[in-house]
Amino acid sequence: QKTAYEIGCELYDHDHPQPFHNITDKIDNFVWLHIIGYVFKFLFLRSWWICHTLSVSFELAEYSLEHHLANFKECWWDHWIADALLSNVLGMWIGSQIITLTGLERYQWRTLIEPTVRGIPSGGNTVGRITLFRPRWTRLRNMLLIAFMTVLALVGEVNTFYIKFLLWSPYH
């Protein structure tokens, strides 16, 4: 059964016996798919910053492409509260817990310089510690690579929805 996600966008309906029916009617398997998807995204990317960037970017892509694909037409709260804030963040949190429990390394995608710490020798004793910075990537290169990766991920995600639509899948 298809759900019209763009109909009934009021959070609270005073005239209905179940005032939150607009929210409960729209909770379906896609909530679980958002959560599972962001668990795997976090396990792959290991960065809150990049995962949030992808989450918000995809919701903006849905807004800009809703005239092409009917299932991109959602209520504002479905985009920002149910998807980006609740489901995706929950998936990221679960992925973060798995990373922590397994002791895997987190990636620092925004690192521009790699610090090295060395002692300052003084008469055979180390007086203090200083941090020297070795440039690893330039700012522009880092920004462009992250932007390219984000666009590539978004193209891949949006492409799956177009393929479902073109192949007449019952889940579009």
Side-chain angles (χ1 to χ4, degrees):
Q1 175 184 347
K2 290 185 182 180
T3 303
Y5 293 103
E6 79 276 9
I7 297 172
C9 290
E10 303 84 24
L11 289 174
Y12 189 86
D13 187 358
H14 298 283
D15 301 326
H16 197 274
Q18 184 189 9
F20 292 106
H21 72 94
N22 287 331
I23 296 171
T24 57
D25 292 346
K26 291 178 180 65
I27 295 175
D28 56 11
N29 290 336
F30 288 107
V31 172
W32 296 110
L33 293 175
H34 274 273
I35 293 170
I36 293 167
Y38 273 88
V39 167
F40 284 105
K41 278 185 185 116
F42 197 91
L43 291 174
F44 179 72
L45 298 169
R46 301 181 193 180
S47 168
W48 282 95
W49 184 78
I50 288 287
C51 285
H52 279 296
T53 302
L54 285 172
S55 177
V56 170
S57 298
F58 185 76
E59 296 305 323
L60 291 172
E62 278 188 327
Y63 267 129
S64 65
L65 297 171
E66 64 185 16
H67 62 285
H68 283 272
L69 298 171
N71 63 326
F72 280 178
K73 293 179 184 175
E74 299 175 340
C75 296
W76 67 269
W77 55 265
D78 198 353
H79 281 291
W80 301 112
I81 297 173
D83 292 351
L85 192 60
L86 296 177
S87 300
N88 297 352
V89 170
L90 178 61
M92 290 179 231
W93 181 81
I94 293 169
S96 173
Q97 296 306 305
I98 293 170
I99 295 288
T100 302
L101 291 173
T102 57
L104 294 171
E105 176 187 356
R106 291 186 191 257
Y107 298 150
Q108 298 299 321
W109 292 94
R110 295 184 299 162
T111 301
L112 301 177
I113 48 181
E114 185 177 316
T116 57
V117 179
R118 296 185 182 161
I120 303 174
S122 173
N125 299 331
T126 301
V127 171
R129 314 262 314 149
I130 63 168
T131 303
L132 304 173
F133 293 98
R134 273 186 300 146
R136 190 164 75 177
W137 282 1
T138 64
R139 235 178 234 195
L140 179 62
R141 181 177 176 198
N142 191 31
M143 182 193 72
L144 290 175
L145 286 173
I146 291 173
F148 177 72
M149 185 183 72
T150 303
V151 167
L152 196 61
L154 287 173
V155 167
E157 287 185 23
V158 169
N159 191 37
T160 59
F161 286 94
Y162 276 104
I163 288 172
K164 283 190 322 183
F165 176 74
L166 293 173
L167 296 178
W168 301 293
S169 170
Y171 297 106
H172 64 75

